[in-house]
Each structure stands twice: as C-alpha cells, then as structure tokens.
Amino acid sequence: MDLSEACILIKDNSTSVLPFPDAFLEFLEENDLDSSIYVGLDTIPRYIRLKPGYEWLLTEIETELDCNLEAVNWLPGFFFIPSHIQIAGTKAYRSGKIYGMDAASGAAVMTLNVTCGDHVLDLCAAPGAKLCMLADLLGNSGTITGVDVARHRLAACRTMLQKYELGDRCRLFVADGTTFSLVPTRSHTDVKMCPTDGKDVEDTFREWTSKRTWTDRKNAAKRKMVTSAHTPLEPSEPDLIFYGRDSGVVGMQRSKVFHIVDAIESSSSGYDKVLVDAECTHDGSIKHIQKFEYWGWSTFQRRVLDANRMKNLTCLQLALLTNGFRLLKVGGSLVYSTCSLTVAQNEAVVEQFLSRNPSAELMKVDSAETWRCRSGGIPLTLRFDPKTSQTSGLFIAKFTKKSSLVCCDCHVITP
C-alpha cells in the first residue's frame, strides 16, 4: 500500500478543507498560493520516527497504537499512521522509542547528510525534534551545538535529549542566532585540560549536573550582572544550559568554550554542517494551521498578517542564514528551511543571501530524486506541500561554502 492509498483509507472525505477565514485566503492570494494546497488536510497521515536500533519493537508498538506502522519508502526510519492516533500517552513514546515528527522535517535533516565525526550546529534548535534526529545520525563521534533565543523552549530541547538518551555529544546555548559566534571546541588546541591553580579550577567545566554548586551560582550571578550592563545594541554572552560529557566542554576553561571567532577563523575552524530552520509564519505547517482553529484566527492575523512583523521576519531569516553561513567551515554544508510556503520567506531570502555572499553556492540534494516533493522557484531548491507530498509544507535550500583568497589589502576574493 502506498502513501496516497493509505490517506484515502484514513478518511473517505479526501477533499475536505478547514473553513479558512477571508483574512487567510487573502494572505494566500497576496503570496500567490493556491488554496487547493490545503484541501484534504484531515487526510494527511501522522508521521513518527523510530529511534534507531529498536526496529525489533515494531510489532509491539503497532499493538500498543492499535494500528499498522506503514514505512515511508522514501525516508528511512519514518512511518505513517492515521492522523487521529495519539502517541503521547503510549509506553513507546514515554520511553523514548518513537518521536512525533513530520516527514518533510525529516527530509530537511537528511539533506545535511550528517556523518559520524561531524561538528553540527542547529541554529534554531527548539522544539528539538530535528536536534534529536541529528544526534541519532551523528553516532558516537563529533558534536552538536543547539542554539535558540527562547530559554523555555531550549529547556524543552534539553528534556528531549535526556529522554531519548542523546545528550552526550550535545551542548545547548540560549543565544541570539543572528549573533552567536562560538565554534566547536575541537578548534582550540591550546586548552588546559588539567588546570593547577585555584582560578583555573573554578573556571573549568566539570560534568554537567542540574544541581549547581554555590560557587557556580555565584559566578552565574556575576555574569548576569555583567550581561545586564550591556546596552540593547550589544549582544549578551550565550548562556550554556546543558552540555554532555563528550560535547567537548568537560575539562575546558570557560574562556575557551566562549572564545568568539570572526568570519576568517570560522572558515577553517567552524562547523561541518549547519541547520538553519528559521522562524517563519508557519503557514505550511498542518499542525499550526489546525491550531488556529482552537486559538482563533484573530491570532493568525496578529502573528502573520501584520506588515511590520512580516518585514521584521524576513530580515530575521536573512540574518539567521547569514550568521549560520559565517560559522560554516569551507567545504561544509548548510541547510536553510522554513515551514512557510511563501516566496518572500524562501526564494526571496535565498536570492538576497546569494547576492551578498559570493562564497555561497547552492547544492543539489541527490537523495531528493526519490522524495515526494517538487522543485522550488530557484533551481536546486525543494518544496514540500500537503497536496504534492502528503506532508506539511517545507522549503529546503542547501548551500556549501567555497574557499576564498585573502589578498594583501584584506579584501576577500572568491576564486
């Protein structure tokens, strides 16, 4: 049984559509989006990802969910189930064997082609599903750095990493993704792993624990006072709220972990892979669209249709993409994605970014030849949408960083 047949079986009413208000329909028209994309949202299946190594539990999980887990034939490790099935209360979910994650989001992670030993940056890490998938793909070497500006959302990421036992190689920073400037700790070869004097000991990271010592709390209070003294235009120091024993933090001095780099240094010592799943209007996300039915569509108008918010949002997306690329090492890969279907938040951002970054080059996503998606408005970009893909909407663009030459007058020249 293929995916389209399964969707028909889930509900006979395959042409149903949510009763969208005029404001949303106007939003679609202004962004040249066909409302038929959203037809049959209630027939889109629910996707789950099975934690690697637990394939032998499939039959048991099917029994608990009381439904068949149909494999997504174009995305390894993913399965689809009827949309009405709830997983939150199941033993498989509570014990960290399955994740709720849309297949399109899984495709964005797979686009990065993470391999064992990579140092990966997830610049907009919350709520954490992609972060956990990255950790699963990474294996037993390399590191992952998760960044998010919202502390409570990043704390949820920490909970997920611990629940799924994936935190050993991860570190999480509460920080502004547009200014974050810390590279993987592998780049600091002069680290004092065995400090001898008292100050070095005090400033050296021990194994992470949720219970901080009195000294740690005192030092944190001092740093908070320094941070509060910054002007609004000055970026504050990132706050490290979690790190695993193999994340490259344990045994290092604070000055090394928080060593800020410029664009030239990050080109050689930056991240191998960067994911920028940027904040957006979520107009392609089935989950968010359905939530507006409960929140009220006035919430959508306030969050999405405000002209100033839209302008600020596209500026934010460009800034996140630009900074993520700055932190990418030469030859590395970066994936930019949003769950918006609008050109303004996707192709327009990519075009503006490419015009300002001559060392950036779009890459072909080879595995996409078998994916249920279509080409974006720019060659080599991809688009998922409910009508084409039977998934939530998602835009994907993959970049690599070409090497640059620095001449004597300090101008950067791209060969």
Side-chain angles (χ1 to χ4, degrees), residues 80 112 117 144 155 179 210 251 271 285 363 366 387 410:
F80 57 89
L112 265 183
I144 295 179
T179 58
S210 58
Y271 296 89
S285 168
M363 299 177 67
D366 293 325
K387 185 176 182 180
C410 297

Side-chain angles (χ1 to χ4, degrees), residues 27 60 68 77 94 102 170 188 221 232 238 324 327 333 354 358 389:
F27 169 80
E60 181 180 320
N68 292 330
R94 294 197 310 269
D102 194 86
C170 297
H188 308 311
L327 295 169
S333 301
L354 288 172
S389 315

Side-chain angles (χ1 to χ4, degrees), residues 59 93 111 155 203 230 281-282 349 376 392:
T59 301
Y93 176 79
T111 299
D203 290 341
H230 289 181
T281 53
H282 305 293
V349 171
S392 281

Side-chain angles (χ1 to χ4, degrees), residues 111-401:
T111 299
L112 265 183
N113 193 29
V114 171
T115 57
C116 190
D118 279 340
H119 293 275
V120 184
L121 171 64
D122 186 350
L123 199 56
C124 308
K130 295 183 182 71
L131 184 75
C132 286
M133 185 173 174
L134 287 168
D136 269 328
L137 294 174
L138 187 67
N140 57 7
S141 66
T143 64
I144 295 179
T145 299
V147 176
D148 204 273
V149 71
R151 179 178 296 275
H152 68 286
R153 284 166 55 83
L154 198 65
C157 290
R158 178 177 60 199
T159 300
M160 284 191 70
L161 288 174
Q162 293 171 314
K163 171 185 175 180
Y164 291 102
E165 300 178 345
L166 293 170
D168 277 357
R169 298 191 172 275
C170 297
R171 55 182 190 161
L172 301 177
F173 290 95
V174 178
D176 183 347
T178 66
T179 58
F180 183 75
S181 297
L182 308 182
V183 295
T185 50
R186 59 153 185 210
S187 62
H188 308 311
T189 57
D190 59 340
V191 175
K192 297 179 182 178
M193 296 302 292
C194 299
T196 55
D197 62 66
K199 187 176 187 304
D200 282 345
V201 171
E202 184 178 306
D203 290 341
T204 299
F205 286 96
R206 306 172 185 87
E207 285 200 19
W208 184 85
T209 174
S210 58
K211 298 179 180 179
R212 297 189 300 173
T213 66
W214 179 85
T215 300
D216 290 337
R217 292 196 300 271
K218 182 184 69 173
N219 291 339
K222 288 180 180 179
R223 290 191 293 271
K224 187 174 182 180
M225 290 180 62
V226 172
T227 299
S228 63
H230 289 181
T231 68
L233 297 178
E234 292 179 303
S236 59
E237 182 182 80
D239 188 2
L240 180 60
I241 67 165
F242 175 80
Y243 54 90
R245 65 180 60 183
D246 296 316
S247 64
V249 174
V250 177
M252 292 191 66
Q253 290 176 255
R254 183 176 185 86
S255 60
K256 301 300 182 182
V257 174
F258 287 84
H259 172 66
I260 295 176
V261 299
D262 57 23
I264 294 177
E265 186 176 349
S266 62
S267 290
S268 60
S269 61
Y271 296 89
D272 302 289
K273 308 288 170 61
V274 175
L275 175 63
V276 182
D277 186 44
E279 172 65 18
C280 67
T281 53
H282 305 293
D283 55 89
S285 168
I286 296 172
K287 181 172 66 175
H288 278 82
I289 291 297
Q290 292 173 333
K291 280 182 179 179
F292 286 123
E293 287 294 290
Y294 299 96
W295 293 340
W297 283 95
S298 60
T299 306
F300 174 83
Q301 291 179 270
R302 185 177 70 254
R303 292 187 175 189
V304 176
L305 301 184
D306 180 75
N308 289 331
R309 169 168 164 73
M310 281 296 296
K311 181 179 179 180
N312 292 338
L313 190 56
T314 53
C315 290
L316 172 64
Q317 290 160 344
L318 179 60
L320 288 168
L321 174 54
T322 301
N323 194 47
F325 187 76
R326 182 179 69 86
L327 295 169
L328 183 70
K329 67 184 297 187
V330 169
S333 301
L334 179 149
V335 166
Y336 171 78
S337 62
T338 81
C339 60
S340 171
L341 297 174
T342 67
V343 170
Q345 298 175 69
N346 297 311
E347 285 90 347
V349 171
V350 168
E351 287 181 338
Q352 194 170 0
F353 168 73
L354 288 172
S355 70
R356 298 180 179 183
N357 294 273
S359 62
E361 184 176 66
L362 280 168
M363 299 177 67
K364 180 182 179 182
V365 182
D366 293 325
S367 54
E369 294 178 0
T370 61
W371 291 354
R372 295 186 59 136
C373 61
R374 58 188 174 88
S375 297
I378 298 175
L380 304 183
T381 62
L382 306 172
R383 278 181 171 268
F384 290 80
D385 65 67
K387 185 176 182 180
T388 302
S389 315
Q390 288 290 293
T391 66
S392 281
L394 199 79
F395 172 85
I396 298 175
K398 183 177 183 179
F399 304 87
T400 187
K401 179 182 282 188

